[in-house]
Amino acid sequence: MAQDIKRIGIIGGGAAGLFAACLFKKFSGDGNLEVTILEKNDIPGKKLILTGHGRCNITNRKYASDLKTGYHEAENFIYPALKEFGPEDTISFIENDIGLKTKEEDNNRIFPVCDSAVKVRDSLVSYISDSVKTACNAKVLDIRKTDVFEVNTADTKYRFDCVILSCGGSSFQHTGSTGDSYKLAGKTGHTVVTPRAALAPIKADEASLGFIKDISGVSVTSKVSLYCSDKKTASVEGEILFADFGLTGPAVMEISREVPVSISDCNAYLELDLIPSMTDEQFDQDFQKQIADHADTKITTLLARYIPVSVAGAVAAKAGITGLYAQGFTKDNRRKLIKETKHLRVGIGRELSIDKAYVTRGGVSLKEVDRKTMQSRLVPGLYILGEALDIDGISGGYNLQACMSEAYLAVKDILEL
């Protein structure tokens, strides 16, 4: 009978919303369930097709205990979800239910063999096409809880027994992530931690751009430290990429979440250690051996044994030692070289743009959500997923896995599995 049907509304057809819809189909069996996705764009998954640089980094094949450390302050909150539905479960679902084979690449990253985020999105949409209603161009304007949830778009009023709020954060706004989750959560009485950029490139100031532009397109392993008011506030080691605007790459993107909202208030800047495998003293001693053994060799040639040739040339120029040879290379010259190689300062040119960020730091306070079910502690029947929450993971499949794990907990609770 109609009154026995449980009506589920999913606000937002991004990664978290699509995953939830797929899991409803997988686990609902013959139950009386009516699932409706309300998507503001003309097609679901616009941001999903950009993930993994268009290849879709689905997950990261690590144990939950290791994976959780990639979610910063939210690691304890996300841990139950990762244990319940982890990377192996995601891989199995993508391969066996969705029908896309996967492959593992460096750093445990899992991609579809087809290397196409569009194919992943289309396959998810196809999987739910016969069991889930999808209303596109349906931006939700209001949500209220009476005996049921009343959800209004410009054209239609919906009534749902349960609602999943999963309409993204505030990053990559051209994909539709314009902070709708936070507005709707606020209407239901939730606290929203101020959204800010995470996994974002960092623009260099004018004083640093000349040096950086000369080596644009070159990547190197580096330790990246953030300084505010001359105090180190964060440090990350990994690959960085010099670009014509400043810095990007995994290590820079990861540390970006720590950059203050107002950089001028604390004179924020980055310090690069281009040879992180050695201390200053170890590098100095090793370099002195190189000097002693190769007296007729240019300093830039010797430096290129530690870092890429182009970077060695740029560092030497910045240190004022271009053209010098090993023979006669003084202690003062070495001091300058160590400073620019191990303590290379890059000024931050402006506040980070949340629209250029891959994910959003901030969102609905985790104190107001049950980490075992993803249900709101304030509004029974409301479940909050994905970037709507104050959770952001590092790059490498972490953020999509969080969406999948959270979606599973919500679906499990709603279906009373």
Side-chain angles (χ1 to χ4, degrees):
M1 296 176 65
Q3 61 265 31
D4 296 326
I5 294 177
K6 180 177 283 189
R7 299 161 300 177
I8 312 298
I10 299 176
I11 303 177
L18 285 175
F19 288 154
C22 288
L23 293 175
F24 275 122
K25 175 179 177 176
K26 178 177 174 66
F27 294 113
S28 63
D30 296 326
N32 290 329
L33 197 70
E34 183 178 280
V35 181
T36 303
I37 296 176
L38 302 179
E39 168 56 45
K40 69 184 289 186
N41 291 316
D42 56 359
I43 189 171
K46 275 197 170 182
K47 188 176 180 183
L48 178 61
I49 66 175
L50 301 177
T51 58
H53 299 288
R55 297 173 57 219
C56 196
N57 187 179
I58 297 167
T59 185
N60 192 290
R61 199 171 215 155
K62 287 188 176 75
Y63 292 115
S65 56
D66 295 323
L67 198 65
K68 71 172 186 175
T69 61
Y71 297 93
H72 311 291
E73 302 89 351
E75 65 172 271
N76 290 329
F77 180 91
I78 195 71
Y79 189 42
L82 297 175
K83 286 197 300 181
E84 284 270 358
F85 199 96
E88 295 300 333
D89 299 301
T90 296
I91 293 168
S92 176
F93 176 75
I94 293 296
E95 291 197 341
N96 299 327
D97 294 271
I98 301 302
L100 295 176
K101 295 300 181 183
T102 64
K103 59 182 177 179
E104 184 170 346
E105 298 188 1
D106 60 299
N107 298 321
N108 310 110
R109 296 178 303 156
I110 302 296
F111 291 87
V113 170
C114 62
D115 281 329
S116 172
V118 171
K119 180 66 174 177
V120 172
R121 189 273 309 276
D122 290 349
S123 297
L124 293 173
V125 172
S126 176
Y127 179 75
I128 61 175
S129 61
D130 62 348
S131 60
V132 175
K133 298 179 181 179
T134 301
C136 292
N137 299 308
K139 179 178 179 178
V140 172
L141 303 177
D142 191 30
I143 177 173
R144 296 182 182 182
K145 175 69 182 293
T146 54
D147 56 325
V148 295
F149 286 92
E150 298 176 357
V151 177
N152 298 330
T153 67
D155 302 320
T156 309
K157 294 182 178 181
Y158 296 88
R159 291 170 65 85
F160 299 117
D161 300 298
C162 295
V163 166
I164 290 177
L165 181 61
S166 58
C167 43
S170 294
S171 59
F172 274 45
Q173 295 190 4
H174 65 283
T175 65
S177 296
T178 54
D180 294 350
S181 291
Y182 312 138
K183 297 173 186 175
L184 295 174
K187 288 178 178 291
T188 61
H190 281 280
T191 303
V192 176
V193 179
T194 303
R196 53 193 286 194
L199 293 185
I202 297 178
K203 181 176 173 59
D205 64 8
E206 289 298 325
S208 304
L209 272 181
F211 163 80
I212 290 174
K213 284 183 177 180
D214 288 341
I215 50 177
S216 178
V218 179
S219 62
V220 62
T221 298
S222 174
K223 181 178 180 181
V224 184
S225 299
L226 174 66
Y227 282 80
C228 297
S229 300
D230 291 322
K231 293 183 179 180
K232 185 189 294 187
T233 59
S235 187
V236 176
E237 185 174 327
E239 185 180 353
I240 68 171
L241 175 67
F242 295 98
D244 56 3
F245 61 83
L247 300 172
T248 186
V252 172
M253 302 283 274
E254 183 175 340
I255 207 169
S256 67
R257 72 186 303 275
E258 306 296 342
V259 175
V261 174
S262 177
I263 59 173
S264 58
D265 291 344
C266 67
N267 187 30
Y269 63 90
L270 299 178
E271 183 180 276
L272 308 183
D273 179 353
L274 302 177
I275 311 176
S277 60
M278 294 181 174
T279 64
D280 290 13
E281 294 74 18
Q282 289 171 335
F283 173 58
D284 189 31
Q285 291 174 7
D286 196 75
F287 202 71
Q288 286 185 65
K289 292 179 182 178
Q290 298 289 341
I291 290 172
D293 293 341
H294 305 89
D296 297 330
T297 303
K298 279 188 174 183
I299 288 297
T300 51
T301 301
L302 296 181
L303 185 58
R305 299 186 176 192
Y306 303 87
I307 54 180
V309 174
S310 56
V311 179
V315 166
K318 202 168 189 301
I321 57 174
T322 301
L324 298 185
Y325 284 78
Q327 186 173 11
F329 199 68
T330 66
K331 182 178 181 179
D332 185 57
N333 291 146
R334 295 201 322 271
R335 180 186 59 78
K336 293 177 181 177
L337 181 60
I338 291 170
K339 177 185 177 184
E340 301 300 345
T341 306
K342 302 279 292 175
H343 305 275
L344 177 59
R345 180 166 171 167
V346 176
I348 300 176
R350 66 184 180 197
E351 283 75 15
L352 302 190
S353 169
I354 197 168
D355 191 40
K356 300 294 184 182
Y358 279 87
V359 297
T360 306
R361 178 182 180 181
V364 175
S365 172
L366 301 184
K367 296 178 181 179
E368 299 172 357
V369 178
D370 186 341
R371 68 176 187 158
K372 294 182 179 180
T373 64
M374 308 312 297
Q375 184 172 196
S376 165
R377 294 184 183 277
L378 307 183
V379 186
L382 176 65
Y383 297 78
I384 306 175
L385 310 179
E387 285 192 72
L389 291 168
D390 184 18
I391 298 177
D392 61 290
I394 61 176
S395 62
Y398 286 74
N399 290 289
L400 284 186
Q401 180 59 53
C403 289
M404 195 69 171
S405 298
E406 293 162 12
Y408 175 76
L409 290 189
V411 170
K412 178 184 176 183
D413 194 60
I414 292 171
L415 296 179
E416 300 179 358
L417 297 178

